[in-house]
Amino acid sequence: MTSTAPNPVTGAPTTDAWGIDASWLDALDEEHTIAQPTIDRLREVIGTPPEDLLDRAPIVARPGDALEVDRADVECEDGQTRQVDGELPEDFPLGYHRLRTPDGRERRLIVSPGRCWLPEGWRAWGWAVQLYATRGRESWGIGDLGDLRTVREFAQAQGAGFVLVNPLHAVAPTPGQEDSPYLPATRRFRNPVYLRIAEVPGADAVDVEADAGRALNDGELIDRDAIWALKRRVLQRVFDAGVDEGPFRDWWWHQGQPLMDWATWCALADEHGPDWHTWPEPLRDPRGAAVADFVTAHEREIAFHAWLQWLLDVQLRAATEGTTVIQDLPIGVAGGGADAWAWQDVLAQGVSVGAPPDAFNSQGQDWGSPPLVPWRLQAADYEPFIQSIRATMAGAGGLRVDHVMGLFRLWWVPSDGSAAEGAYVRYPHEDLLDIVALESHRAQAIVVGEDLGTVEDGVREAMAEHGILSYRLLWFEDDEPAQWPAEAMAAITTHDLPTVAGLWTGSDLAEQRERGLGTEEELLRGRTSLLGHLGFIAEDATPAEAVEAAHRQLATAPSTLLSATLDDALAEERRPNMPGANDRPNWCLPLPVPTEELAAHPGVQAVAGVLGAGLHPVTTKGKVKSGKRSKSTGRSTRTKHR
């Protein structure tokens, strides 16, 4: 494995046989060469795939496509057997099938529609919500699925067509709760801290300590450790009192091995800590005899964690009923978590995912999640990726893929080096995009790709071909919103960037200055640049007036989705997360208005009115038809932080 191959997106001969790019281009099109020791280290981590990998890796195709095999039998998902000979018939069923050749070779055949589900001509505006921050009078210190239902109901009443929520994925069930929604223990299951305790079946028969729960709302910050300790104690009490296990057991049976793995990991984490690397060695193998013995001896504890997931499924479906709720898929998982334990043979050891140096982060970024090894992902029939996509879409109708460029390449950071000493590793993006399209089609879920950052040539064209909406921000775009593409979600800011009020008043600049996040010149230049995107607003405008003016601009965009944050509507000056400020209470700031009062808030009403009035028929064309590739339109210089 010493030869190089053309870069699969740009065509440049820079990618070696391990999928490692020998160089990379920054936002200014300056080329940076990767040091040979980094390449050698990553080659060691990636390893050598089996010689017959290409003969048994999944085939991902669309109806009518030519195949890389001749005559073969295909056992379809529905049990029927069909024959293929060199190509798939146009009427071949979509789905996950098994292909067998006459010489006995077998491999997975994934048949995709090629484009994500999106109703023709549909447009909508909606609210972007940090659910943990959206707490009401009945919340226990943190926004929960009951609050999501309240938001969904008033959003529907306002005419909104969707709600976008932060990742709801689970973390370890132990003290020291992870605050960031973007570093979960799993991307397949949800966080029980979001349960509305009063709506748990059987809660009315025990002492639920409701007064103590509501008292947690008095805290200025969201204290996940205190909240989870109380919720878990009460949930255990309900479970121990006896629950109607019929519906739960039936649901659990249909979840299969993935839920069993998750619940087992939780029970093990309760006993041995949240990082599986520190467990007794026999328990590190999820399929080993020691884990099987543990399962037999801890059936009740495992059932409790599975029951929590059933409750979450029931409450989420009730919370999202009748409206598209777009759920966020993080780029990865915690290295000591459940998915990393279950899929340790597929994840890379000794590296993590991050970003190369840029204008905002001169040392690069390390996000702490271990990446999937591309060839091992193929050898696993893409199952880890499929399960993560499917589970995040479930029950809601929408998916936002965080750092969608990661489907094409990821910046790998060796554990013994800095983020600046990493390199890009390539992924089979065509297969991954087609899998996203298949899951979107099955779930009837719209898909948004968060393409903020240095976006290489060809990425947005591939997204457009697959029906994945781009993500456009007022803070980053040089063109007026009226010139933005139709196939996009349009917004002003994200959780990592200044709110309109924080920018307008200068309080966000003051906090960056206080926390030493740049030189005075850099910080002033950054604020001046963002203010320039607001257009003309009277100097004496109030923060609320600035917010409304910004959304009037946004409302001129012809984009499919127009998104506003509740933080902006409430003229909140603090952003949810300030990257690089590790001593700041990131992800722990509640909204200043209770959920029950949001609908009547003047700022919420004003933004809803502006965006609702801005929806108008899209006159521009530009959808890229399936099977056709577009020419590149250049490299983006928009920068995304984590």
Side-chain angles (χ1 to χ4, degrees), residues 132 140 142-145 168-171 177-178 190-197 222-229 231-232 235 308 312:
Y132 58 85
W140 288 16
I142 191 169
D144 59 30
L145 291 170
L168 303 181
H169 302 91
V171 299
Q177 289 278 289
E178 172 62 52
R190 301 186 177 96
N191 195 334
V193 79
Y194 291 117
L195 285 171
R196 173 63 65 93
I197 300 298
I222 295 167
D223 185 347
R224 286 177 174 81
D225 276 345
I227 294 163
W228 175 235
K231 285 196 174 187
R232 173 158 186 170
L235 287 164
L308 295 180
L312 285 160

PDB file of all heavy atoms in Angstrom, residues 132 140 142-145 168-171 177-178 190-197 222-229 231-232 235 308 312:
ATOM      1  N   TYR A 132     -32.350  21.802  26.293  1.00  0.00           N
ATOM      2  CA  TYR A 132     -31.963  21.840  27.701  1.00  0.00           C
ATOM      3  C   TYR A 132     -32.205  23.231  28.301  1.00  0.00           C
ATOM      4  O   TYR A 132     -32.471  23.371  29.495  1.00  0.00           O
ATOM      5  CB  TYR A 132     -30.490  21.439  27.860  1.00  0.00           C
ATOM      6  CG  TYR A 132     -29.549  22.324  27.084  1.00  0.00           C
ATOM      7  CD1 TYR A 132     -29.084  23.518  27.621  1.00  0.00           C
ATOM      8  CD2 TYR A 132     -29.143  21.987  25.792  1.00  0.00           C
ATOM      9  CE1 TYR A 132     -28.246  24.348  26.904  1.00  0.00           C
ATOM     10  CE2 TYR A 132     -28.307  22.808  25.074  1.00  0.00           C
ATOM     11  CZ  TYR A 132     -27.866  23.992  25.623  1.00  0.00           C
ATOM     12  OH  TYR A 132     -27.041  24.819  24.901  1.00  0.00           O
ATOM     13  N   TRP A 140     -37.697  20.218  35.637  1.00  0.00           N
ATOM     14  CA  TRP A 140     -36.844  19.998  36.803  1.00  0.00           C
ATOM     15  C   TRP A 140     -35.438  20.499  36.494  1.00  0.00           C
ATOM     16  O   TRP A 140     -34.490  19.734  36.351  1.00  0.00           O
ATOM     17  CB  TRP A 140     -36.807  18.519  37.164  1.00  0.00           C
ATOM     18  CG  TRP A 140     -38.082  18.002  37.767  1.00  0.00           C
ATOM     19  CD1 TRP A 140     -39.316  18.594  37.745  1.00  0.00           C
ATOM     20  CD2 TRP A 140     -38.241  16.786  38.488  1.00  0.00           C
ATOM     21  NE1 TRP A 140     -40.245  17.833  38.392  1.00  0.00           N
ATOM     22  CE2 TRP A 140     -39.604  16.700  38.880  1.00  0.00           C
ATOM     23  CE3 TRP A 140     -37.383  15.762  38.851  1.00  0.00           C
ATOM     24  CZ2 TRP A 140     -40.118  15.633  39.599  1.00  0.00           C
ATOM     25  CZ3 TRP A 140     -37.887  14.688  39.565  1.00  0.00           C
ATOM     26  CH2 TRP A 140     -39.239  14.625  39.942  1.00  0.00           C
ATOM     27  N   ILE A 142     -34.120  21.676  33.847  1.00  0.00           N
ATOM     28  CA  ILE A 142     -33.646  21.526  32.477  1.00  0.00           C
ATOM     29  C   ILE A 142     -34.852  21.355  31.569  1.00  0.00           C
ATOM     30  O   ILE A 142     -35.866  20.764  31.951  1.00  0.00           O
ATOM     31  CB  ILE A 142     -32.694  20.301  32.354  1.00  0.00           C
ATOM     32  CG1 ILE A 142     -31.981  20.283  31.003  1.00  0.00           C
ATOM     33  CG2 ILE A 142     -33.428  18.986  32.602  1.00  0.00           C
ATOM     34  CD1 ILE A 142     -30.836  19.264  30.925  1.00  0.00           C
ATOM     35  N   GLY A 143     -34.766  21.910  30.359  1.00  0.00           N
ATOM     36  CA  GLY A 143     -35.835  21.693  29.395  1.00  0.00           C
ATOM     37  C   GLY A 143     -35.981  20.218  29.081  1.00  0.00           C
ATOM     38  O   GLY A 143     -34.993  19.504  28.944  1.00  0.00           O
ATOM     39  N   ASP A 144     -37.224  19.747  28.973  1.00  0.00           N
ATOM     40  CA  ASP A 144     -37.462  18.318  28.750  1.00  0.00           C
ATOM     41  C   ASP A 144     -38.415  18.111  27.583  1.00  0.00           C
ATOM     42  O   ASP A 144     -38.777  19.069  26.873  1.00  0.00           O
ATOM     43  CB  ASP A 144     -37.969  17.660  30.038  1.00  0.00           C
ATOM     44  CG  ASP A 144     -39.275  18.278  30.548  1.00  0.00           C
ATOM     45  OD1 ASP A 144     -40.091  18.766  29.735  1.00  0.00           O
ATOM     46  OD2 ASP A 144     -39.487  18.268  31.783  1.00  0.00           O
ATOM     47  N   LEU A 145     -38.822  16.870  27.372  1.00  0.00           N
ATOM     48  CA  LEU A 145     -39.681  16.556  26.233  1.00  0.00           C
ATOM     49  C   LEU A 145     -41.081  17.139  26.393  1.00  0.00           C
ATOM     50  O   LEU A 145     -41.769  17.360  25.397  1.00  0.00           O
ATOM     51  CB  LEU A 145     -39.725  15.043  26.022  1.00  0.00           C
ATOM     52  CG  LEU A 145     -38.392  14.450  25.534  1.00  0.00           C
ATOM     53  CD1 LEU A 145     -38.415  12.934  25.571  1.00  0.00           C
ATOM     54  CD2 LEU A 145     -38.061  14.940  24.127  1.00  0.00           C
ATOM     55  N   LEU A 168     -30.011  15.052  21.121  1.00  0.00           N
ATOM     56  CA  LEU A 168     -30.663  14.524  22.320  1.00  0.00           C
ATOM     57  C   LEU A 168     -30.034  13.204  22.749  1.00  0.00           C
ATOM     58  O   LEU A 168     -30.607  12.482  23.565  1.00  0.00           O
ATOM     59  CB  LEU A 168     -32.158  14.326  22.055  1.00  0.00           C
ATOM     60  CG  LEU A 168     -32.942  15.556  21.589  1.00  0.00           C
ATOM     61  CD1 LEU A 168     -34.416  15.205  21.384  1.00  0.00           C
ATOM     62  CD2 LEU A 168     -32.804  16.715  22.574  1.00  0.00           C
ATOM     63  N   HIS A 169     -28.867  12.884  22.234  1.00  0.00           N
ATOM     64  CA  HIS A 169     -28.250  11.587  22.477  1.00  0.00           C
ATOM     65  C   HIS A 169     -27.769  11.436  23.918  1.00  0.00           C
ATOM     66  O   HIS A 169     -27.473  12.409  24.604  1.00  0.00           O
ATOM     67  CB  HIS A 169     -27.086  11.375  21.512  1.00  0.00           C
ATOM     68  CG  HIS A 169     -27.493  11.450  20.073  1.00  0.00           C
ATOM     69  ND1 HIS A 169     -27.457  12.624  19.355  1.00  0.00           N
ATOM     70  CD2 HIS A 169     -27.954  10.504  19.225  1.00  0.00           C
ATOM     71  CE1 HIS A 169     -27.880  12.396  18.115  1.00  0.00           C
ATOM     72  NE2 HIS A 169     -28.185  11.119  18.019  1.00  0.00           N
ATOM     73  N   ALA A 170     -27.684  10.177  24.343  1.00  0.00           N
ATOM     74  CA  ALA A 170     -27.389   9.858  25.737  1.00  0.00           C
ATOM     75  C   ALA A 170     -25.909   9.995  26.056  1.00  0.00           C
ATOM     76  O   ALA A 170     -25.033   9.809  25.203  1.00  0.00           O
ATOM     77  CB  ALA A 170     -27.860   8.438  26.051  1.00  0.00           C
ATOM     78  N   VAL A 171     -25.658  10.294  27.319  1.00  0.00           N
ATOM     79  CA  VAL A 171     -24.308  10.282  27.877  1.00  0.00           C
ATOM     80  C   VAL A 171     -24.262   9.184  28.932  1.00  0.00           C
ATOM     81  O   VAL A 171     -25.246   8.476  29.159  1.00  0.00           O
ATOM     82  CB  VAL A 171     -23.948  11.652  28.484  1.00  0.00           C
ATOM     83  CG1 VAL A 171     -23.985  12.727  27.410  1.00  0.00           C
ATOM     84  CG2 VAL A 171     -24.884  12.011  29.639  1.00  0.00           C
ATOM     85  N   GLN A 177     -21.855  14.390  34.658  1.00  0.00           N
ATOM     86  CA  GLN A 177     -22.590  14.389  33.398  1.00  0.00           C
ATOM     87  C   GLN A 177     -21.920  15.302  32.372  1.00  0.00           C
ATOM     88  O   GLN A 177     -21.517  16.429  32.689  1.00  0.00           O
ATOM     89  CB  GLN A 177     -24.021  14.861  33.640  1.00  0.00           C
ATOM     90  CG  GLN A 177     -24.884  13.867  34.407  1.00  0.00           C
ATOM     91  CD  GLN A 177     -25.455  12.800  33.499  1.00  0.00           C
ATOM     92  OE1 GLN A 177     -26.342  13.052  32.687  1.00  0.00           O
ATOM     93  NE2 GLN A 177     -24.943  11.590  33.632  1.00  0.00           N
ATOM     94  N   GLU A 178     -21.800  14.827  31.166  1.00  0.00           N
ATOM     95  CA  GLU A 178     -21.236  15.609  30.074  1.00  0.00           C
ATOM     96  C   GLU A 178     -22.219  16.725  29.701  1.00  0.00           C
ATOM     97  O   GLU A 178     -23.392  16.465  29.430  1.00  0.00           O
ATOM     98  CB  GLU A 178     -20.972  14.715  28.870  1.00  0.00           C
ATOM     99  CG  GLU A 178     -20.558  15.437  27.602  1.00  0.00           C
ATOM    100  CD  GLU A 178     -19.246  16.198  27.753  1.00  0.00           C
ATOM    101  OE1 GLU A 178     -18.258  15.594  28.203  1.00  0.00           O
ATOM    102  OE2 GLU A 178     -19.235  17.407  27.424  1.00  0.00           O
ATOM    103  N   ARG A 190     -31.145   7.942  23.422  1.00  0.00           N
ATOM    104  CA  ARG A 190     -31.378   9.309  23.880  1.00  0.00           C
ATOM    105  C   ARG A 190     -31.112   9.462  25.372  1.00  0.00           C
ATOM    106  O   ARG A 190     -31.078   8.493  26.125  1.00  0.00           O
ATOM    107  CB  ARG A 190     -32.803   9.736  23.519  1.00  0.00           C
ATOM    108  CG  ARG A 190     -33.050   9.666  22.019  1.00  0.00           C
ATOM    109  CD  ARG A 190     -34.403  10.222  21.618  1.00  0.00           C
ATOM    110  NE  ARG A 190     -34.539  10.178  20.160  1.00  0.00           N
ATOM    111  CZ  ARG A 190     -35.142   9.216  19.493  1.00  0.00           C
ATOM    112  NH1 ARG A 190     -35.694   8.206  20.155  1.00  0.00           N
ATOM    113  NH2 ARG A 190     -35.214   9.250  18.186  1.00  0.00           N
ATOM    114  N   ASN A 191     -31.002  10.712  25.769  1.00  0.00           N
ATOM    115  CA  ASN A 191     -30.614  11.052  27.131  1.00  0.00           C
ATOM    116  C   ASN A 191     -31.839  11.107  28.040  1.00  0.00           C
ATOM    117  O   ASN A 191     -32.715  11.959  27.853  1.00  0.00           O
ATOM    118  CB  ASN A 191     -29.905  12.403  27.135  1.00  0.00           C
ATOM    119  CG  ASN A 191     -29.159  12.663  28.413  1.00  0.00           C
ATOM    120  OD1 ASN A 191     -29.498  12.132  29.468  1.00  0.00           O
ATOM    121  ND2 ASN A 191     -28.141  13.504  28.336  1.00  0.00           N
ATOM    122  N   PRO A 192     -31.922  10.234  29.049  1.00  0.00           N
ATOM    123  CA  PRO A 192     -33.097  10.228  29.929  1.00  0.00           C
ATOM    124  C   PRO A 192     -33.221  11.468  30.800  1.00  0.00           C
ATOM    125  O   PRO A 192     -34.257  11.653  31.447  1.00  0.00           O
ATOM    126  CB  PRO A 192     -32.904   8.963  30.779  1.00  0.00           C
ATOM    127  CG  PRO A 192     -31.451   8.654  30.697  1.00  0.00           C
ATOM    128  CD  PRO A 192     -31.000   9.128  29.355  1.00  0.00           C
ATOM    129  N   VAL A 193     -32.221  12.349  30.810  1.00  0.00           N
ATOM    130  CA  VAL A 193     -32.369  13.600  31.550  1.00  0.00           C
ATOM    131  C   VAL A 193     -33.482  14.454  30.945  1.00  0.00           C
ATOM    132  O   VAL A 193     -34.027  15.342  31.615  1.00  0.00           O
ATOM    133  CB  VAL A 193     -31.032  14.377  31.580  1.00  0.00           C
ATOM    134  CG1 VAL A 193     -30.787  15.105  30.265  1.00  0.00           C
ATOM    135  CG2 VAL A 193     -30.977  15.346  32.754  1.00  0.00           C
ATOM    136  N   TYR A 194     -33.876  14.151  29.688  1.00  0.00           N
ATOM    137  CA  TYR A 194     -34.933  14.902  29.016  1.00  0.00           C
ATOM    138  C   TYR A 194     -36.334  14.362  29.306  1.00  0.00           C
ATOM    139  O   TYR A 194     -37.317  14.880  28.769  1.00  0.00           O
ATOM    140  CB  TYR A 194     -34.697  14.920  27.503  1.00  0.00           C
ATOM    141  CG  TYR A 194     -33.503  15.748  27.082  1.00  0.00           C
ATOM    142  CD1 TYR A 194     -32.415  15.157  26.442  1.00  0.00           C
ATOM    143  CD2 TYR A 194     -33.459  17.108  27.331  1.00  0.00           C
ATOM    144  CE1 TYR A 194     -31.318  15.914  26.061  1.00  0.00           C
ATOM    145  CE2 TYR A 194     -32.371  17.873  26.942  1.00  0.00           C
ATOM    146  CZ  TYR A 194     -31.299  17.266  26.309  1.00  0.00           C
ATOM    147  OH  TYR A 194     -30.215  18.015  25.929  1.00  0.00           O
ATOM    148  N   LEU A 195     -36.464  13.335  30.123  1.00  0.00           N
ATOM    149  CA  LEU A 195     -37.784  12.792  30.440  1.00  0.00           C
ATOM    150  C   LEU A 195     -38.576  13.766  31.305  1.00  0.00           C
ATOM    151  O   LEU A 195     -38.045  14.372  32.243  1.00  0.00           O
ATOM    152  CB  LEU A 195     -37.650  11.453  31.167  1.00  0.00           C
ATOM    153  CG  LEU A 195     -37.252  10.254  30.312  1.00  0.00           C
ATOM    154  CD1 LEU A 195     -36.935   9.058  31.193  1.00  0.00           C
ATOM    155  CD2 LEU A 195     -38.355   9.903  29.306  1.00  0.00           C
ATOM    156  N   ARG A 196     -39.869  13.898  31.012  1.00  0.00           N
ATOM    157  CA  ARG A 196     -40.801  14.628  31.869  1.00  0.00           C
ATOM    158  C   ARG A 196     -41.342  13.615  32.883  1.00  0.00           C
ATOM    159  O   ARG A 196     -42.151  12.746  32.541  1.00  0.00           O
ATOM    160  CB  ARG A 196     -41.930  15.233  31.023  1.00  0.00           C
ATOM    161  CG  ARG A 196     -43.075  15.886  31.793  1.00  0.00           C
ATOM    162  CD  ARG A 196     -42.661  17.085  32.611  1.00  0.00           C
ATOM    163  NE  ARG A 196     -42.181  18.222  31.835  1.00  0.00           N
ATOM    164  CZ  ARG A 196     -42.959  19.236  31.421  1.00  0.00           C
ATOM    165  NH1 ARG A 196     -44.256  19.238  31.694  1.00  0.00           N
ATOM    166  NH2 ARG A 196     -42.427  20.250  30.759  1.00  0.00           N
ATOM    167  N   ILE A 197     -40.876  13.710  34.132  1.00  0.00           N
ATOM    168  CA  ILE A 197     -41.147  12.685  35.136  1.00  0.00           C
ATOM    169  C   ILE A 197     -42.632  12.514  35.385  1.00  0.00           C
ATOM    170  O   ILE A 197     -43.138  11.385  35.531  1.00  0.00           O
ATOM    171  CB  ILE A 197     -40.424  13.016  36.453  1.00  0.00           C
ATOM    172  CG1 ILE A 197     -38.909  13.095  36.217  1.00  0.00           C
ATOM    173  CG2 ILE A 197     -40.744  11.969  37.517  1.00  0.00           C
ATOM    174  CD1 ILE A 197     -38.264  11.824  35.749  1.00  0.00           C
ATOM    175  N   ILE A 222     -27.749  25.464  34.468  1.00  0.00           N
ATOM    176  CA  ILE A 222     -28.293  24.110  34.415  1.00  0.00           C
ATOM    177  C   ILE A 222     -27.270  23.162  35.029  1.00  0.00           C
ATOM    178  O   ILE A 222     -26.161  23.006  34.505  1.00  0.00           O
ATOM    179  CB  ILE A 222     -28.620  23.718  32.963  1.00  0.00           C
ATOM    180  CG1 ILE A 222     -29.751  24.610  32.437  1.00  0.00           C
ATOM    181  CG2 ILE A 222     -28.998  22.246  32.864  1.00  0.00           C
ATOM    182  CD1 ILE A 222     -29.944  24.535  30.945  1.00  0.00           C
ATOM    183  N   ASP A 223     -27.642  22.551  36.130  1.00  0.00           N
ATOM    184  CA  ASP A 223     -26.761  21.643  36.868  1.00  0.00           C
ATOM    185  C   ASP A 223     -27.169  20.207  36.547  1.00  0.00           C
ATOM    186  O   ASP A 223     -27.999  19.615  37.216  1.00  0.00           O
ATOM    187  CB  ASP A 223     -26.869  21.914  38.370  1.00  0.00           C
ATOM    188  CG  ASP A 223     -25.894  21.085  39.197  1.00  0.00           C
ATOM    189  OD1 ASP A 223     -25.307  20.131  38.648  1.00  0.00           O
ATOM    190  OD2 ASP A 223     -25.734  21.390  40.398  1.00  0.00           O
ATOM    191  N   ARG A 224     -26.560  19.647  35.516  1.00  0.00           N
ATOM    192  CA  ARG A 224     -26.979  18.327  35.064  1.00  0.00           C
ATOM    193  C   ARG A 224     -26.744  17.241  36.109  1.00  0.00           C
ATOM    194  O   ARG A 224     -27.505  16.272  36.181  1.00  0.00           O
ATOM    195  CB  ARG A 224     -26.281  17.976  33.748  1.00  0.00           C
ATOM    196  CG  ARG A 224     -26.830  18.732  32.541  1.00  0.00           C
ATOM    197  CD  ARG A 224     -26.053  18.393  31.271  1.00  0.00           C
ATOM    198  NE  ARG A 224     -26.646  18.991  30.081  1.00  0.00           N
ATOM    199  CZ  ARG A 224     -26.465  20.254  29.700  1.00  0.00           C
ATOM    200  NH1 ARG A 224     -25.709  21.060  30.435  1.00  0.00           N
ATOM    201  NH2 ARG A 224     -27.025  20.719  28.588  1.00  0.00           N
ATOM    202  N   ASP A 225     -25.699  17.374  36.887  1.00  0.00           N
ATOM    203  CA  ASP A 225     -25.446  16.360  37.912  1.00  0.00           C
ATOM    204  C   ASP A 225     -26.570  16.317  38.943  1.00  0.00           C
ATOM    205  O   ASP A 225     -27.067  15.242  39.293  1.00  0.00           O
ATOM    206  CB  ASP A 225     -24.109  16.626  38.606  1.00  0.00           C
ATOM    207  CG  ASP A 225     -22.928  16.051  37.843  1.00  0.00           C
ATOM    208  OD1 ASP A 225     -23.151  15.211  36.954  1.00  0.00           O
ATOM    209  OD2 ASP A 225     -21.792  16.448  38.135  1.00  0.00           O
ATOM    210  N   ALA A 226     -26.979  17.476  39.440  1.00  0.00           N
ATOM    211  CA  ALA A 226     -28.066  17.521  40.427  1.00  0.00           C
ATOM    212  C   ALA A 226     -29.380  17.068  39.808  1.00  0.00           C
ATOM    213  O   ALA A 226     -30.165  16.340  40.438  1.00  0.00           O
ATOM    214  CB  ALA A 226     -28.195  18.930  40.999  1.00  0.00           C
ATOM    215  N   ILE A 227     -29.622  17.483  38.575  1.00  0.00           N
ATOM    216  CA  ILE A 227     -30.877  17.132  37.892  1.00  0.00           C
ATOM    217  C   ILE A 227     -30.952  15.627  37.655  1.00  0.00           C
ATOM    218  O   ILE A 227     -31.973  14.989  37.954  1.00  0.00           O
ATOM    219  CB  ILE A 227     -30.981  17.904  36.559  1.00  0.00           C
ATOM    220  CG1 ILE A 227     -31.112  19.408  36.828  1.00  0.00           C
ATOM    221  CG2 ILE A 227     -32.156  17.392  35.730  1.00  0.00           C
ATOM    222  CD1 ILE A 227     -30.806  20.260  35.619  1.00  0.00           C
ATOM    223  N   TRP A 228     -29.874  15.054  37.139  1.00  0.00           N
ATOM    224  CA  TRP A 228     -29.896  13.630  36.839  1.00  0.00           C
ATOM    225  C   TRP A 228     -29.953  12.795  38.115  1.00  0.00           C
ATOM    226  O   TRP A 228     -30.635  11.763  38.150  1.00  0.00           O
ATOM    227  CB  TRP A 228     -28.713  13.231  35.979  1.00  0.00           C
ATOM    228  CG  TRP A 228     -28.618  11.749  35.740  1.00  0.00           C
ATOM    229  CD1 TRP A 228     -27.562  10.937  35.991  1.00  0.00           C
ATOM    230  CD2 TRP A 228     -29.642  10.901  35.201  1.00  0.00           C
ATOM    231  NE1 TRP A 228     -27.854   9.635  35.647  1.00  0.00           N
ATOM    232  CE2 TRP A 228     -29.120   9.579  35.157  1.00  0.00           C
ATOM    233  CE3 TRP A 228     -30.941  11.125  34.742  1.00  0.00           C
ATOM    234  CZ2 TRP A 228     -29.858   8.495  34.685  1.00  0.00           C
ATOM    235  CZ3 TRP A 228     -31.685  10.037  34.275  1.00  0.00           C
ATOM    236  CH2 TRP A 228     -31.141   8.747  34.253  1.00  0.00           C
ATOM    237  N   ALA A 229     -29.271  13.228  39.156  1.00  0.00           N
ATOM    238  CA  ALA A 229     -29.308  12.472  40.411  1.00  0.00           C
ATOM    239  C   ALA A 229     -30.743  12.361  40.926  1.00  0.00           C
ATOM    240  O   ALA A 229     -31.181  11.280  41.360  1.00  0.00           O
ATOM    241  CB  ALA A 229     -28.419  13.141  41.457  1.00  0.00           C
ATOM    242  N   LYS A 231     -33.656  12.900  39.116  1.00  0.00           N
ATOM    243  CA  LYS A 231     -34.500  12.190  38.153  1.00  0.00           C
ATOM    244  C   LYS A 231     -34.227  10.692  38.199  1.00  0.00           C
ATOM    245  O   LYS A 231     -35.168   9.878  38.159  1.00  0.00           O
ATOM    246  CB  LYS A 231     -34.267  12.732  36.733  1.00  0.00           C
ATOM    247  CG  LYS A 231     -34.913  14.081  36.479  1.00  0.00           C
ATOM    248  CD  LYS A 231     -34.988  14.397  34.991  1.00  0.00           C
ATOM    249  CE  LYS A 231     -35.769  15.666  34.727  1.00  0.00           C
ATOM    250  NZ  LYS A 231     -36.008  15.929  33.298  1.00  0.00           N
ATOM    251  N   ARG A 232     -32.974  10.317  38.292  1.00  0.00           N
ATOM    252  CA  ARG A 232     -32.673   8.887  38.314  1.00  0.00           C
ATOM    253  C   ARG A 232     -33.241   8.230  39.563  1.00  0.00           C
ATOM    254  O   ARG A 232     -33.785   7.118  39.492  1.00  0.00           O
ATOM    255  CB  ARG A 232     -31.161   8.652  38.241  1.00  0.00           C
ATOM    256  CG  ARG A 232     -30.828   7.179  38.437  1.00  0.00           C
ATOM    257  CD  ARG A 232     -29.522   6.756  37.910  1.00  0.00           C
ATOM    258  NE  ARG A 232     -29.396   5.314  38.048  1.00  0.00           N
ATOM    259  CZ  ARG A 232     -28.431   4.597  37.509  1.00  0.00           C
ATOM    260  NH1 ARG A 232     -27.510   5.171  36.772  1.00  0.00           N
ATOM    261  NH2 ARG A 232     -28.394   3.292  37.689  1.00  0.00           N
ATOM    262  N   LEU A 235     -36.970   7.864  38.976  1.00  0.00           N
ATOM    263  CA  LEU A 235     -37.241   6.868  37.932  1.00  0.00           C
ATOM    264  C   LEU A 235     -36.984   5.458  38.445  1.00  0.00           C
ATOM    265  O   LEU A 235     -37.744   4.522  38.133  1.00  0.00           O
ATOM    266  CB  LEU A 235     -36.373   7.152  36.705  1.00  0.00           C
ATOM    267  CG  LEU A 235     -36.785   8.375  35.874  1.00  0.00           C
ATOM    268  CD1 LEU A 235     -35.660   8.805  34.943  1.00  0.00           C
ATOM    269  CD2 LEU A 235     -38.062   8.082  35.084  1.00  0.00           C
ATOM    270  N   LEU A 308     -35.843   3.050  30.284  1.00  0.00           N
ATOM    271  CA  LEU A 308     -35.690   4.492  30.094  1.00  0.00           C
ATOM    272  C   LEU A 308     -35.752   4.864  28.613  1.00  0.00           C
ATOM    273  O   LEU A 308     -36.344   5.890  28.243  1.00  0.00           O
ATOM    274  CB  LEU A 308     -34.356   4.958  30.686  1.00  0.00           C
ATOM    275  CG  LEU A 308     -34.172   4.833  32.201  1.00  0.00           C
ATOM    276  CD1 LEU A 308     -32.788   5.335  32.603  1.00  0.00           C
ATOM    277  CD2 LEU A 308     -35.265   5.581  32.957  1.00  0.00           C
ATOM    278  N   LEU A 312     -38.407   7.335  26.637  1.00  0.00           N
ATOM    279  CA  LEU A 312     -37.968   8.417  25.763  1.00  0.00           C
ATOM    280  C   LEU A 312     -38.607   8.320  24.387  1.00  0.00           C
ATOM    281  O   LEU A 312     -39.007   9.333  23.800  1.00  0.00           O
ATOM    282  CB  LEU A 312     -36.442   8.390  25.637  1.00  0.00           C
ATOM    283  CG  LEU A 312     -35.673   8.914  26.850  1.00  0.00           C
ATOM    284  CD1 LEU A 312     -34.242   8.410  26.838  1.00  0.00           C
ATOM    285  CD2 LEU A 312     -35.696  10.439  26.879  1.00  0.00           C
TER     286      LEU A 312
END
